[in-house]
Amino acid sequence: GGRLALSGVLETQAKYLYWMKKDCNHQVSQAEVYFKRGLEQNPDASLLYIRMAGIYITQARSRSDQGNSPLVILDRAEQLLRKARAINPNYYENDGIDGEISLLKAKWALAKQQNPEAYFTRTAGSLKQAMSLNPKNIDLYLIGARLNWSKAEGKESQNQPTAASKYITEGLDYIRQALAINSNYAEAYALKGVLLRLRSRLAGDS
């Protein structure tokens, strides 16, 4: 129990450091230690695998933003997800994590000027399944917002502002739903700011 709770704290810290654009590698290293100790005590704790995968996803997102490939770290997250699903195949966070992984792969494909559509489709499918299992989980709505953000950036790069604006609106709707669940959720406001800046850029106001 204690290891699981601490892994959740470290995941939150890593996300906070990501949004503050600071190094989260220390949290990742700490989490790996507690993850291994936790598995020694309870090797069938599927949520431990999910928490560690979530930490790797934050680390991969940071690497991607710095222009470095996140794929090796995402592979680690996927390995943990497979183990979590083997233990508890019906847990909603399985699909949430899968959506996060495929969305980061889509963003990296966009950065490398590759086609991200297969990853977008996988993210949307995972998100729909996760929401059917837990419609009140705020993080799922943030995945939806990030999905539409990535789609909007893709359309912007293709000089399709109308399509990009449509995805921005859909992303902001996910933010609205997230804030209806928790009006004080900082990450939702951060994502809202990103989407509004993108809208402003499309309008030529930046």
Side-chain angles (χ1 to χ4, degrees):
R3 306 293 183 201
L4 182 58
L6 185 54
S7 69
V9 169
L10 290 167
E11 182 180 12
T12 300
Q13 289 178 344
K15 286 181 177 179
Y16 171 78
L17 289 171
Y18 167 75
W19 282 108
M20 295 299 291
K21 300 303 179 187
K22 294 181 179 179
D23 184 10
C24 64
N25 289 334
H26 178 63
Q27 273 66 28
V28 174
S29 297
Q30 275 190 308
E32 287 174 332
V33 171
Y34 288 112
F35 171 67
K36 290 173 183 175
R37 290 180 186 173
L39 286 183
E40 289 172 1
Q41 298 174 15
N42 191 352
D44 293 327
S46 63
L47 196 52
L48 265 177
Y49 290 100
I50 290 296
R51 287 284 175 265
M52 193 65 230
I55 291 170
Y56 281 142
I57 285 169
T58 300
Q59 186 184 34
R61 193 180 299 149
S62 178
R63 283 181 60 85
S64 181
D65 286 354
Q66 294 165 11
N68 300 315
S69 174
L71 299 181
V72 171
I73 297 171
L74 290 176
D75 285 344
R76 293 176 196 163
E78 285 195 291
Q79 290 171 12
L80 295 176
L81 175 60
R82 283 194 291 270
K83 291 179 179 179
R85 278 185 161 150
I87 296 167
N88 186 351
N90 298 315
Y91 190 50
Y92 80 93
E93 284 207 42
N94 295 342
D95 296 294
I97 288 291
D98 185 68
E100 291 265 29
I101 291 170
S102 53
L103 181 53
L104 272 172
K105 288 186 174 182
K107 284 183 71 68
W108 185 246
L110 277 171
K112 305 301 287 185
Q113 297 184 325
Q114 299 169 356
N115 190 340
E117 290 303 323
Y119 295 125
F120 283 153
T121 300
R122 176 177 152 189
T123 299
S126 296
L127 185 60
K128 182 178 179 180
Q129 176 64 16
M131 283 183 165
S132 72
L133 295 170
N134 190 344
K136 293 297 185 181
N137 183 273
I138 192 169
D139 288 322
L140 298 179
Y141 292 91
L142 299 189
I143 295 172
R146 287 197 294 272
L147 171 60
N148 282 283
W149 170 22
S150 296
K151 286 184 172 183
E153 286 191 320
K155 293 303 180 184
E156 181 192 26
S157 70
Q158 296 168 6
N159 196 27
Q160 298 181 36
T162 301
S165 294
K166 170 180 173 289
Y167 288 125
I168 291 170
T169 299
E170 291 180 9
L172 288 170
D173 189 58
Y174 274 110
I175 295 296
R176 179 189 60 77
Q177 294 177 77
L179 291 173
I181 297 170
N182 182 350
S183 62
N184 297 312
Y185 203 55
E187 189 175 347
Y189 286 105
L191 276 170
K192 183 177 181 179
V194 168
L195 287 165
L196 290 174
R197 284 194 297 275
L198 180 54
R199 174 180 278 176
S200 177
R201 189 167 76 221
L202 285 170
D205 296 333
S206 59

